[in-house]
Amino acid sequence: ISSGLGAAIQNAAGGDTICLNAGSYGNLDLTNVRKSADVTIQPVDGASATVGGVVFQNSSHLHFTGGNGSLTVGSSSLDETNTLPNCSDHITFDHLRFLGFGIFPRCAAMAITVDHANMDNVGEADGGEGRINVQALDEGPAVDQGITISNVTFNGPTSGWATATSNCSKGVQVLGGAYGVQILNSEFAREPDQDTCTAFNGLHVGGIQLYGGRHAVVKGNYFHDNGTSAGGLAMGDGPNADVEDNVFVCSCVYPWSIQAFATVGSTFRHNTFAGGGGLHFQSQNGLASGNRIYDNVFTDAGNAISDSSGASWGTEDHNLNSGMNGVGDLSGTPLFVSSSTSSYSNWYLQPGSPGKGAASDGLDMGIR
């Protein structure tokens, strides 16, 4: 088609593919559009198409993909209005340029996926300060809501990043009791200094922020070349998180890599803190407790694990340069494949490095 996308989606049968000729298709209101199987919207091979902002409300089985062309989708929202017990489900965006997404999950297992998307140099979207916000408004269930954000770039410009204002927002913000959000294998790079963005739009720029997000999985992500007060992981209220196999080449959250605040019951394992930052706990509506830190690589023992509240935050073991004396702890200078920030894989340990094969699971400390 070359026009009439809204009608084409309404009339499509489950399993259909709608192919877009090059051009712009305007905003879409997809309310009560439910299909029995995915309806796929993609450009004709080699074509470049643009869709405006999309409003999803109680919609099902819709898949927007760049396919073998180029697709840009404007800032969109999903279930912003509470229509319980009816929620959207099986909504997918992949291999495209996405300009923002506010997700408001109120049901279990919604199967909302953003994968292989370009969200570089994008401002905030509905629901919070992030380019993707998962905001449950304390109306969602205390079970996995089925939100996955994977293989997405949340990067600033390759030059002039320190003063850039085009990307003054967080990468991902998880709020309001959102449960089980998975943030996987994504990149958070070249994000501006905090002061730059606060002066520009009053937002606190950053990588990932868990403020009311429970049981989140933050795994395989790459944080590098960010400002000194931006671009890491902040856990203002993110209990029972699983934080593993991430690389932090920055001391980018005042001046740590993870500001864990008063998180409870969270696990930090197999992370590589290559930029001198570490983990910091402090009181915030309570004290940290029940956390476990193990199998990580730190490069600055003096800034590896700290707590300004005096709380008994948990246990640590099998870390390299933790600055502590846990079971299996080691000290020494880690030898990485490369010190270049061009690739996540550069931060694996080389043969012969301290921590090689010394993790609690018999694998390498740091990323696996």
Side-chain angles (χ1 to χ4, degrees), residues 100-102 119 122-133 154 169-173 175 203 206-207 209:
F101 199 16
M119 301 193 74
V122 175
E124 70 275 15
D126 268 357
E129 297 180 346
R131 302 172 211 189
I132 296 180
N133 297 295
F154 298 91
S169 72
K170 289 182 173 62
V172 180
Q173 191 174 47
L175 305 160
L203 298 185
Q209 188 177 66

Side-chain angles (χ1 to χ4, degrees), residues 298 301 319-324 328-334 354-355 365:
F298 299 95
N319 294 295
L320 179 62
N321 299 321
S322 71
M324 298 185 176
D329 279 359
L330 299 173
S331 61
T333 302
M365 292 178 173

Side-chain angles (χ1 to χ4, degrees), residues 268-274 276-279 293-305 316-336 347-350 352-360 363-367:
F268 304 88
R269 59 178 172 174
H270 280 293
N271 300 288
T272 295
F273 296 85
L279 273 149
I293 303 170
Y294 64 109
D295 295 337
N296 302 286
V297 169
F298 299 95
T299 55
D300 181 356
N303 195 32
I305 303 172
E316 70 85 21
D317 61 90
H318 292 86
N319 294 295
L320 179 62
N321 299 321
S322 71
M324 298 185 176
N325 297 302
V327 173
D329 279 359
L330 299 173
S331 61
T333 302
L335 302 176
F336 299 113
W347 301 99
Y348 293 115
L349 293 179
Q350 287 187 27
S353 173
K356 187 75 176 175
S360 64
L363 302 177
D364 294 349
M365 292 178 173
I367 58 169

Side-chain angles (χ1 to χ4, degrees), residues 261-264 282-289 309 311:
F261 285 101
T263 188
V264 172
Q282 68 185 61
S283 60
Q284 180 165 323
N285 301 320
L287 299 174
S289 66
S309 69

Side-chain angles (χ1 to χ4, degrees), residues 19 88 108 188 206 213 232 361:
C19 295
S88 294
F188 303 83
D361 54 9

Side-chain angles (χ1 to χ4, degrees), residues 1-212:
I1 63 172
S2 295
S3 62
L5 176 56
I9 294 172
Q10 291 279 356
N11 295 328
D16 281 355
T17 296
I18 300 169
C19 295
L20 308 179
N21 287 315
S24 297
Y25 289 82
N27 298 329
L28 295 174
D29 184 346
L30 300 178
T31 299
N32 301 321
V33 179
R34 303 194 65 87
K35 306 296 181 179
S36 59
D38 279 3
V39 169
T40 299
I41 300 95
Q42 68 181 49
V44 171
D45 286 357
S48 179
T50 299
V51 175
V54 185
V55 174
F56 297 94
Q57 190 71 49
N58 185 30
S59 297
S60 179
H61 283 293
L62 298 171
H63 176 198
F64 290 76
T65 180
N68 292 318
S70 173
L71 179 63
T72 298
V73 177
S75 189
S76 302
S77 66
L78 184 140
D79 288 1
E80 190 161 2
T81 300
N82 187 342
T83 54
L84 280 171
N86 301 311
C87 291
S88 294
D89 64 85
H90 295 87
I91 306 295
T92 302
F93 294 89
D94 64 50
H95 296 90
L96 45 68
R97 167 76 167 158
F98 206 3
L99 303 184
F101 199 16
I103 304 169
F104 298 83
R106 297 179 177 88
C107 294
M110 293 172 64
I112 310 302
T113 301
V114 180
D115 180 65
H116 283 91
N118 173 350
M119 301 193 74
D120 299 344
N121 306 319
V122 175
E124 70 275 15
D126 268 357
E129 297 180 346
R131 302 172 211 189
I132 296 180
N133 297 295
V134 186
Q135 166 61 284
L137 298 169
D138 297 315
E139 296 171 342
V143 296
D144 189 352
Q145 294 159 1
I147 313 299
T148 302
I149 301 158
S150 55
N151 303 295
V152 178
T153 59
F154 298 91
N155 299 339
T158 55
S159 62
W161 67 270
T163 57
T165 54
S166 59
N167 61 319
C168 274
S169 72
K170 289 182 173 62
V172 180
Q173 191 174 47
V174 183
L175 305 160
Y179 197 107
V181 177
Q182 297 194 67
I183 306 168
L184 312 174
N185 307 322
S186 294
E187 184 178 33
F188 303 83
R190 299 183 298 278
E191 296 184 351
D193 287 314
Q194 192 72 266
D195 290 345
T196 299
C197 290
T198 301
F200 171 64
N201 60 4
L203 298 185
H204 292 85
V205 68
I208 299 173
Q209 188 177 66
L210 308 179
Y211 270 34

